[in-house]
Amino acid sequence: MRGDAFTILLIVMGIILGIVVYLVLFVPPQEVLKYFGGANNNQPVTFKISFMYFSSSSINAIIYNEGPGTINLNNMHVYAISSDGNQYNCNVISNGTVNPNSQVNIVINCNNENQIINNLLSNNGYYIFYFDYNNYEQNYNLTASAPSR
């Protein structure tokens, strides 16, 4: 009876040791910590808006993540203020993340977007877009002279 319990204990210890070796050799530490709740993904994030442009149907921005944290685009808040002081709430349409030291092109959807685009196309004023992620904010001044695509 004692031998059976000892054998089961050795098998269980061997399985645990095998899992630990696998995790150490093949899984990045941040993934292991995230799975076990030992780390939150609140690394500092710095980013810049490299470029913004508009067309007759959309407003786009290129965001460069300067790192070290990953940006979840679903949690980015965007709003715009026009040259006459009106504020527009916006959403990032693009899903996914922006990894450190990389950039992504996002589509921005604002309330009264047609009015914004028409004003820009007719060279009527400018808009300052504010991008906020984890209390880090960047802005970009979008004018009619910005190249449209």
Side-chain angles (χ1 to χ4, degrees):
M1 203 53 108
R2 270 189 182 190
D4 293 339
F6 185 69
T7 303
I8 291 172
L9 181 63
L10 282 176
I11 292 171
V12 169
M13 293 298 286
I15 291 172
I16 292 172
L17 181 62
I19 292 171
V20 169
V21 168
Y22 175 79
L23 290 175
V24 168
L25 293 177
F26 301 108
V27 180
Q30 55 271 44
E31 292 297 318
V32 174
L33 291 173
K34 186 171 32 173
Y35 179 75
F36 289 109
N40 55 18
N41 197 13
N42 287 337
Q43 291 179 310
V45 171
T46 56
F47 63 91
K48 66 180 178 180
I49 308 304
S50 304
F51 187 68
M52 281 190 76
Y53 60 95
F54 62 93
S55 68
S56 61
S57 60
S58 69
I59 301 170
N60 297 63
I62 298 174
I63 296 179
Y64 177 74
N65 182 356
E66 297 175 329
T70 300
I71 297 173
N72 180 347
L73 293 173
N74 295 324
N75 297 331
M76 180 167 279
H77 303 285
V78 182
Y79 64 96
I81 297 179
S82 65
S83 55
D84 60 3
N86 292 325
Q87 183 168 332
Y88 302 87
N89 293 319
C90 306
N91 295 316
V92 176
I93 301 296
S94 311
N95 291 323
T97 59
V98 185
N99 294 320
N101 301 314
S102 64
Q103 69 182 19
V104 67
N105 185 359
I106 63 170
V107 178
I108 299 167
N109 183 5
C110 300
N111 62 329
N112 293 329
E113 181 173 336
N114 289 336
Q115 177 186 5
I116 295 171
I117 292 173
N118 288 336
N119 285 342
L120 289 169
L121 289 171
S122 62
N123 200 14
N124 185 13
Y126 63 88
Y127 294 83
I128 302 173
F129 284 82
Y130 294 88
F131 297 80
D132 179 62
Y133 185 80
N134 283 354
N135 296 321
Y136 183 82
E137 187 173 87
Q138 288 288 296
N139 62 23
Y140 193 95
N141 190 356
L142 185 61
T143 65
S145 61
S148 57
R149 293 185 181 182

